[in-house]
Amino acid sequence: MAKIPAEWLERAISDGHINYLEYNKFINPTEIGSGGFGKVFKYEWKDYELIVALKCLKFDTDLNLNEKIINDFINELKLLRRVDYHQNIIRFYGVTKDNNGNYNMVLQYANEGNLREYLKENFSRLQWADKLSLAKEIALGLLCLHDNNIIHRDLHSKNILINQGQPKIADFGLSKQMNEKSITSSMECQHI
Ligand SMILES: Nc1ncnc2c1ncn2[C@@H]1O[C@H](COP(=O)(O)OP(=O)(O)OP(=O)(O)O)[C@@H](O)[C@H]1O
């Protein structure tokens, strides 16, 4: 069972559904965070002089945990590539395999970190208009998710990143694609 998701990823790359990027294009790594999948590094994409974030899918010795981590990672890839055109959702450039053989998601780098840290540092400087604008833009990102029948399920201030003052919804590992059937059954539950 544990092999199926990894095979899905390899097939999605070979069929051209997910962009594969050569790891040697990325230089000067600096660690910027860590989460459920593993560490997050900031890199320079040397050809384009673009700063990106690489989110590593690390493997654990516990095979059951591995299966869950790979599933969440692939779930995040599948959903992100459908909605990353929106200005309030983090951009997804593709995947790469590092020198340890681990897959990494290549993401837009948010230069002001996550919303929790951003508010700690900037709260007194921000005007009401700035705070309202942040709230509105987060709602617009969420609207795009909901229009695509995606429920984030883990939305909090560390999963909203800030790039040049603009919020970007990130971390879709626990998100869910709702289909017609699940929408109907959840609506039925609300009526009980
Ligand atoms: N694209 C990015 N640009 C800048 N910083 C990032 C980026 N992605 C992640 N980070 C930083 O790394 C931290 C960890 O991110 P990650 O999405 O892996 O995990 P998390 O949301 O903290 O945890 P979990 O996956 O367990 O919910 C973020 O809180 C943020 O500070």
Side-chain angles (χ1 to χ4, degrees), residues 32-38 40 53 55 90 107-111 113-114 154 156 158-159 161 171:
I32 51 172
S34 73
F37 299 147
V40 184
K55 188 167 166 176
I90 204 78
L107 301 167
Q108 173 182 31
Y109 172 66
N111 71 335
N114 64 56
D154 194 23
H156 55 75
K158 282 186 81 183
N159 285 339
L161 303 174
D171 204 352

Side-chain angles (χ1 to χ4, degrees), residues 63-79:
L63 279 180
N64 290 328
L65 196 60
N66 266 346
E67 189 178 352
K68 174 166 176 9
I69 290 172
I70 297 170
N71 275 322
D72 288 351
F73 186 87
I74 287 172
N75 187 41
E76 178 159 6
L77 287 181
K78 281 184 179 171
L79 298 181

